[in-house]
Every structure is written in structure tokens, then in C-alpha cells.
Amino acid sequence: MQTNKRYLYIVSFITSFAAILTPLDSTIVSVSLPVISKDLNMSYVETIWVPLGYLLALTVLLLPLGRVSDIKGRKTLFTNGYLIFTIGTIMSGLSFNGIELDFWRIIQGIGAAFILSVGGAIITETYPANMRGRAFGIWSFSVYLGTTVGPVIGGLIVSITTWRYIFFITVPISLIGYILSIIYLKESKIRSNAKIDYKGSILLILGLLSIVYGITYGSFIGWNSISILISLIGLILFSLFIVYENRNKETAILDVGLLKNNIMFTAGNLAALLNYTGYFYLSFFMSFYMQRILNFSPFLTSLPLISLSISMVIVSPISGWLSDKIGSRLLATLGMILIMIGLLLLIPLGTKASLIDISLRMITIGIGMGLFSSPNTNAVMGSVSKDKLGVASGTLNMMRFLGQSLSLTVASLILSSFISHSVLSSIFTGLETSNFEISSELFLIGLKRLYLISSIIIGIGAILSALRNKKVFK
């Protein structure tokens, strides 16, 4: 079958447009959070749920929406996601307290889930196997491009005007994406005959929401009967989800059979989960570290984060192209090893760190991410049949965003285990205390422990990546 190259370019452009938007809105917020939390007088829990609510909505909806796209088609979900995202974006910019902002960030995440749940499936369905790695390289390039411009735009906006414009500036981008996808994107012809898994979807959503909320609540407010009960309920519901999916294979949104029988699929997904769990918290906590401890401006804070993203932007298309030639195993494993090294190099940083000190470490981590992402995605998506593409794309994206959500959750748990709630409050609310120097030192001790533990998590992921099959299944 002859490939329509013009339509391939159109698909790459439209999906890459979506890939830019969602990380742009995430990173533009991360560098601005210290300013937002102080302006709205937000608590630590309200502050961390600004990125976490967005990510968690993405996480819990990716698998259900991936299955819906296999059954109903991908174009409708993709286009409607832009509209939901636009509403959430506008209302986030109009929020006047922390709880309100957290709610609308969740709505934003729901819109992003509609977009991202099918982006990878659209690429895989459209591109032939021998060109798929390059397509995912462009996709990853676009993700990292959005990640790159986000911090500098956010830093500039909060330096010269109100933080509310960090949301309003992305509204035209979302509307343009909606128009382009309506006009040019074709509906998929391959449809699954499976039914929508309502019970499994409910168990997944309630389970993950309860786990993450219970842990974040308990890590800061305190491990009382309420936080423990919510966390336990979440674990039980998520366990029931796994059991239910295994028993109801025909309707399952999580194909447990793929995880059991497909080594490439399983290793790639677990590597992605551990990778994002081990490093994603950096943008959030480094923003507070640089602005609260080092007294950097929001714009200066954005520069090391930009160096992280630029490294990803440069390396990811190259690694995607290489994965078509030599496979994914070596590239992805090497990438995770570099991320682990970068995290370990963060441990010596203290109260006198310079921009160069931080940026060099961010570049190391960024190169590692660029080496890991495209080859890993290519390997996972290339290991399944076309009627499973929606589930595979949803599973991989769920692992990615579950890792990101767990990264913030686990990082909060680790920090609260080593430093007091009053120290966390002084750092994250921006309120001055009589012993701020002591608070800064304790916060740094917590960060050092966090870097060490997260490097271990990344190391485990590197081992799993090294164990995957050498051959990429086409």
C-alpha cells in the first residue's frame, strides 16, 4: 500500500501541535508556582495539587479514553479535547483561591487526556513501521519544545505582569489546534468490536485518585485515620481493578495479557513508569529551591529548566531515528543511566549554587531523557497489533503520567519524612519565618535524600530497560 506522504506530514504537524500544548501549559505553571502560591495564599497541599490535579486527571482517563478511541474512532476525542482544555485554561486564569485553581486544573487535565490518549495511536496507525521511529522523534521533539518554551514564557510573564496571563496565552494555541484537527484530520478506519469497560474505568479512576489524595493529605496534614483510610481504599480499589481486568479480557481497558506475554510492551511500560517517577518532580521542587533558597528571579529560575528541555529537544529526534536502525534497548537504557547520574550530581548543591552549577546537571538529565523517550515509545507502540493501538497508547501514556503523578506524591512523602510541616509551609507559601535559614538548611537535607532515593528508582528502571528484547517488533 502506497504511503500518502502529504497526509503523513499533516498528521505529524497536527499531533505535534497537540504535543507542544500540554507540556507548555505544565512547565509554564511550574516556574510560576512560587509566585502563584504566595499571591493566592495557598497551603502546601493546594500548591502541589496545581500540577498534581492536572497530571492525575490525565493519568486516570488515558486508558478509558484509549479504549473509547479504539471503538468509536479517534478524531472526535482528539478535537473535543481541545474545547475542554480551553475552558479549563480560561477558568484557571480567572481563579481567586487555591481550591478553585486546583479544580480548573483538573478540568484542563481532562481535556489534555482526550488529546494525548489518541495522539500516539494516530501516529502509529498512519505511519509505516520503518518510518514510525522518526515520527515519534518529531512527536517527542514537540513535547520537549513545549517544555522548553514554557519556563521562559512563564518566567517573563510573572516578572512583568500578573501570573494569570500564563494561562490566557495558551488559549489561542488550543483554538488553532481544534480548527486544524477538524479540517484536516481523517477518522480512523480500523475499529475494535470490544465494549467500553465502565466498571474497570470506575475502579481505576477512584483507586488512583484515592491513593494520591490520601498520600498527599497524609504526608503534610498528618497520618491520621482519615488519610490512612483513603489510601487503603485506593489500594484496594486499584487491586480490584487489576483483578477485574484480568478476568474480563474482552472488555478490559488494561490488557493484562499484553503485560504478561509481551516482554517488549511490559519492559517499556515499566521503564517509563519508573523513569518519570524518579525525575519528574524536579521542575516543581527546583523552582522553589531556586526562588526561595537561592533568591533567583522567576526568569533566572527558568534558565536551568530550559537547558534541561533544550537537551531533550536536540537529542530526541536523533534517538528516534537511531532506534529505527539499531533498536531501542541500548538507547533507552543509556538514557536512564544518564538521568541517574544527573540526579546524583544534584546532591552536592547547597545555598551557594550558581546557574551554571544547576544547568550542567539539568543538561545531563535532559540528554538522558532525549535518549530514552523516543526509542522507548517506538518499541512499545511497535510491539502490538493495530487494533490494540488505542489501548497501547493509553497504557504507555498512563504509565508516563502515573509516574509523573507518583513523582510529586512520593517526593512530598519523602520530604515530609525528613523535615517538619512548618518548614514546608515556610518554603512553599513564601511566608517569612524567624528561623528561615534553619528552614532552608532542613529543606536542602530533604532534597538531598530525595535525589538519592529517586536515583535508585531510575537505576531499577535502567535494569528493566536493559532486560528487554534486543529486537523491536514491527
Side-chain angles (χ1 to χ4, degrees):
M1 181 172 137
Q2 188 174 7
T3 302
N4 186 335
K5 290 187 177 181
R6 180 176 178 273
Y7 185 63
L8 293 183
Y9 297 144
I10 291 173
V11 167
S12 277
F13 184 77
I14 293 175
T15 54
S16 296
F17 207 84
I20 290 173
L21 181 64
T22 47
L24 169 64
D25 205 77
S26 179
T27 57
I28 204 174
V29 167
S30 65
V31 75
S32 311
L33 262 180
V35 175
I36 298 173
S37 65
K38 188 173 183 179
D39 185 55
L40 297 183
N41 194 27
M42 296 167 64
S43 68
Y44 171 72
V45 174
E46 290 172 347
T47 301
I48 200 169
W49 269 83
V50 173
L52 189 54
Y54 178 85
L55 291 171
L56 197 55
L58 270 170
T59 302
V60 300
L61 290 176
L62 284 172
L63 279 182
L65 291 175
R67 170 48 58 90
V68 172
S69 77
D70 283 339
I71 299 170
K72 301 294 185 180
R74 316 195 200 283
K75 180 176 179 177
T76 301
L77 288 180
F78 194 76
T79 53
N80 288 342
Y82 277 113
L83 294 181
I84 299 172
F85 187 89
T86 301
I87 293 171
T89 301
I90 293 173
M91 296 308 297
S92 292
L94 296 175
S95 299
F96 286 95
N97 58 64
I99 295 176
E100 188 179 347
L101 178 57
D102 290 340
F103 173 79
W104 289 113
R105 285 285 288 171
I106 291 173
I107 300 300
Q108 264 192 311
I110 292 173
F114 274 73
I115 297 170
L116 293 180
S117 61
V118 296
I122 291 172
I123 290 173
T124 310
E125 182 180 58
T126 305
Y127 273 81
N130 65 337
M131 298 177 66
R132 200 175 294 140
R134 277 167 279 183
F136 278 116
I138 296 171
W139 166 273
S140 297
F141 171 86
S142 303
V143 170
Y144 298 141
L145 180 61
T147 305
T148 301
V149 299
V152 67
I153 294 175
L156 286 172
I157 287 176
V158 297
S159 296
I160 63 178
T161 185
T162 173
W163 57 265
R164 299 182 186 278
Y165 285 102
I166 67 173
F167 295 105
F168 298 149
I169 198 172
T170 60
V171 172
I173 302 175
S174 182
L175 291 176
I176 292 172
Y178 172 75
I179 294 170
L180 290 175
S181 59
I182 283 287
I183 295 174
Y184 293 108
L185 196 64
K186 298 177 183 178
E187 184 57 272
S188 56
K189 296 180 180 180
I190 300 174
R191 302 288 180 88
S192 171
N193 295 322
K195 297 179 180 179
I196 298 175
D197 183 10
Y198 293 106
K199 292 181 181 179
S201 299
I202 292 172
L203 287 172
L204 173 65
I205 293 170
L206 293 180
L208 289 181
L209 281 174
S210 299
I211 291 171
V212 174
Y213 181 78
I215 293 176
T216 54
Y217 180 89
S219 63
F220 185 75
I221 305 299
W223 288 102
N224 54 28
S225 58
I226 296 177
S227 58
I228 293 174
L229 180 61
I230 293 175
S231 300
L232 287 175
I233 289 175
L235 288 171
I236 292 171
L237 290 175
F238 187 73
S239 299
L240 290 174
F241 163 72
I242 299 297
V243 172
Y244 180 83
E245 296 298 283
N246 191 42
R247 291 181 177 177
N248 296 272
K249 296 180 175 63
E250 293 183 0
T251 61
I253 54 174
L254 177 66
D255 196 327
V256 180
L258 278 177
L259 292 173
K260 286 182 177 179
N261 303 318
N262 189 327
I263 295 176
M264 180 68 70
F265 184 80
T266 304
N269 274 282
L270 288 178
L273 174 65
L274 292 170
N275 187 52
Y276 286 100
T277 299
Y279 106 98
F280 186 78
Y281 65 86
L282 278 178
S283 294
F284 178 79
F285 286 100
M286 289 297 286
S287 293
F288 281 91
Y289 164 66
M290 286 185 279
Q291 292 183 50
R292 297 280 194 260
I293 307 300
L294 302 180
N295 294 316
F296 287 178
S297 67
F299 177 70
L300 287 180
T301 299
S302 72
L303 298 181
L305 301 182
I306 292 170
S307 66
L308 170 72
S309 302
I310 289 177
S311 303
M312 298 179 188
V313 169
I314 294 173
V315 175
S316 60
I318 299 172
S319 66
W321 177 80
L322 284 174
S323 71
D324 286 332
K325 305 295 182 182
I326 65 174
S328 303
R329 179 173 174 261
L330 177 62
L331 293 168
T333 304
L334 178 60
M336 297 194 78
I337 292 173
L338 284 177
I339 296 170
M340 180 178 66
I341 292 172
L343 288 170
L344 292 173
L345 290 174
L346 287 172
I347 294 176
L349 294 181
T351 57
K352 302 295 183 180
S354 68
L355 277 175
I356 295 178
D357 291 334
I358 301 171
S359 297
L360 289 175
R361 290 159 171 81
M362 293 297 103
I363 289 171
T364 302
I365 295 172
I367 292 173
M369 274 303 302
L371 284 174
F372 172 82
S373 183
S374 299
N376 193 66
T377 301
N378 186 25
V380 172
M381 296 302 296
S383 69
V384 300
S385 58
K386 287 195 172 183
D387 64 328
K388 296 286 188 179
L389 289 176
V391 172
S393 177
T395 302
L396 182 59
N397 279 317
M398 189 197 78
M399 291 296 182
R400 171 186 167 194
F401 289 109
L402 177 58
Q404 293 179 5
S405 301
L406 288 176
S407 185
L408 291 169
T409 305
V410 172
S412 298
L413 181 61
I414 293 171
L415 282 182
S416 66
S417 300
F418 294 111
I419 57 181
S420 67
H421 298 163
S422 61
V423 171
L424 286 175
S425 294
S426 67
I427 296 295
F428 286 93
T429 63
L431 299 177
E432 296 293 337
T433 64
S434 57
N435 293 315
F436 189 75
E437 292 79 8
I438 298 176
S439 296
S440 299
E441 291 294 338
L442 292 174
F443 181 62
L444 285 172
I445 292 173
L447 284 180
K448 293 175 189 295
R449 305 282 175 83
L450 176 58
Y451 298 148
L452 178 60
I453 294 173
S454 58
S455 67
I456 295 173
I457 294 174
I458 296 289
I460 295 172
I463 294 172
L464 287 174
S465 179
L467 293 176
R468 76 177 77 201
N469 288 352
K470 294 182 179 182
K471 179 181 178 181
V472 179
F473 299 148
K474 301 294 187 183

